[in-house]
Amino acid sequence: LRIPIKRIAIIGASGTIGSQFVKTLSLKESVEKIFALTRQPVNFLSSKIKNIALDYYDEASIKNASAIAHEDGKLDLVIVATGILELEDSRPEKSFLELSFTKLQTLFLANAAVPAMMMKYFLPKTNSNGMIFATLSARIGSITDNQLGGWYSYRASKSALNMLIKTASIETHRTNKQAIVVGLHPGTVDSPLTKPFQANIPKQKLFSSETSVNHLLTVINNLEPSDTGKCFAWDGKEILP
Ligand SMILES: NC(=O)c1ccc[n+]([C@@H]2O[C@H](COP(=O)([O-])OP(=O)(O)OC[C@H]3O[C@@H](n4cnc5c(N)ncnc54)[C@H](OP(=O)(O)O)[C@@H]3O)[C@@H](O)[C@H]2O)c1
């Protein structure tokens, strides 16, 4: 990594992309410590990795997890890799006729409110030498890019997330000119989230988590403070709001 990223927290380290970030980063010599924040303990094999219990929906738990992750010093990189696409009993909406309060509420909570609450407890502790706070967003959250419609709750929850990222970047910039707060689109990745939709995806467009994370680490590596507030795809291209 270009910038010295030594201390890292991965929130949602149990997920396909989150756990891959932990694995790939733990192999980098320059990385000293990785805090893997998960609801259920995960058995990671490196001594660099410390598992911290985190209930994504419990503010006291978020505060406690952040305190543990900052006990011995500031973090250089925080990645929020949580998020959901659908509810167990229903697919993303093709029409507004399929909308429900339950779907909208659940998706907004998971994809916008959870990362926002992570901002509340991790951003105030940014390192004045620079720190990156990256949240897994999605291209589909781009209003400019919306050609197909559908997937109402997921799209709108990721648009809301992108607004939260932008707003938090402005506030963080007031006190820390080096801090970088961004959204990341991982591409289409083979994970439980995309399983039901993979039949329509050309093989070369379906990334393994390893490929996606390698791309995203290159993107992270190339970030500049002037990139704060933006959303980037796996290929480094900015995704317009
Ligand atoms: N896969 C893709 O193609 C793709 C494309 C664009 C964007 N993304 C984004 O990338 C992120 C990670 O996706 P993934 O493919 O790694 O999915 P995944 O393997 O299904 O992992 C999902 C992660 O979200 C957590 N999670 C599960 N239910 C949740 C809930 N109700 N509220 C909050 N968090 C919850 C999981 O924690 P537990 O293990 O504790 O359940 C896990 O850490 C998501 O934000 C997703 O929107 C993925």
Side-chain angles (χ1 to χ4, degrees), residues 46 121 163 229 240:
S46 162
Y121 287 98
M163 178 58 92
L240 294 175

Side-chain angles (χ1 to χ4, degrees), residues 71-87:
E71 250 167 21
D72 301 326
K74 305 230 178 213
L75 299 171
D76 306 304
L77 173 65
V78 175
I79 295 175
V80 183
T82 53
I84 51 173
L85 169 57
E86 55 179 0
L87 308 191

Side-chain angles (χ1 to χ4, degrees), residues 186-190 198-208 211-212 215 234:
T188 305
V189 182
D190 185 6
Q198 288 182 4
N200 302 326
I201 303 167
K203 248 206 157 130
Q204 71 279 10
K205 288 205 167 170
L206 184 67
F207 291 160
S208 68
T211 300
S212 171
H215 282 304
W234 59 272

Side-chain angles (χ1 to χ4, degrees), residues 19-213:
S19 60
Q20 188 64 50
F21 266 115
V22 176
K23 282 179 211 145
T24 303
L25 284 165
S26 68
L27 298 174
K28 308 240 177 240
E29 232 171 84
S30 56
V31 171
E32 289 171 5
K33 190 95 203 165
I34 302 176
F35 296 98
L37 283 68
T38 57
R39 293 200 275 207
Q40 308 291 335
V42 178
N43 201 5
F44 290 109
L45 293 172
S46 162
S47 58
K48 288 182 186 176
I49 304 167
K50 181 182 160 78
N51 213 172
I52 301 177
L54 170 64
D55 177 347
Y56 311 136
Y57 292 94
D58 177 359
E59 186 164 354
S61 171
I62 302 170
K63 189 176 177 183
N64 180 54
S66 171
I68 297 172
H70 289 94
E71 250 167 21
D72 301 326
K74 305 230 178 213
L75 299 171
D76 306 304
L77 173 65
V78 175
I79 295 175
V80 183
T82 53
I84 51 173
L85 169 57
E86 55 179 0
L87 308 191
E88 258 165 39
D89 56 352
S90 67
R91 289 285 143 91
E93 314 89 347
K94 287 191 174 147
S95 157
F96 41 66
L97 297 175
E98 294 164 31
L99 285 169
S100 75
F101 278 113
T102 307
K103 273 189 236 176
L104 284 160
Q105 190 176 336
T106 309
L107 272 277
F108 271 81
L109 268 177
N111 294 339
V114 166
M117 293 303 285
M118 300 307 161
M119 292 171 187
K120 176 172 176 181
Y121 287 98
F122 285 80
L123 283 180
K125 301 184 178 178
T126 54
N127 192 337
S128 56
N129 296 328
M131 181 260 207
I132 298 173
F133 183 100
T135 303
L136 269 294
S137 186
R139 187 186 298 284
I140 208 170
S142 164
I143 294 173
T144 313
D145 199 66
N146 186 356
Q147 313 287 338
L148 286 174
W151 295 32
Y152 283 78
S153 304
Y154 186 66
R155 269 187 200 284
S157 65
K158 291 291 189 183
S159 305
L161 170 62
N162 293 344
M163 178 58 92
L164 290 160
I165 289 167
K166 173 74 185 183
T167 306
S169 76
I170 293 170
E171 184 176 344
T172 308
H173 187 73
R174 290 194 189 116
T175 50
N176 186 349
K177 303 287 182 245
Q178 299 303 316
I180 300 173
V181 184
V182 289
L184 295 175
H185 169 64
T188 305
V189 182
D190 185 6
S191 82
L193 189 135
T194 54
K195 267 269 144 30
F197 310 98
Q198 288 182 4
N200 302 326
I201 303 167
K203 248 206 157 130
Q204 71 279 10
K205 288 205 167 170
L206 184 67
F207 291 160
S208 68
S209 56
E210 201 177 358
T211 300
S212 171
V213 163

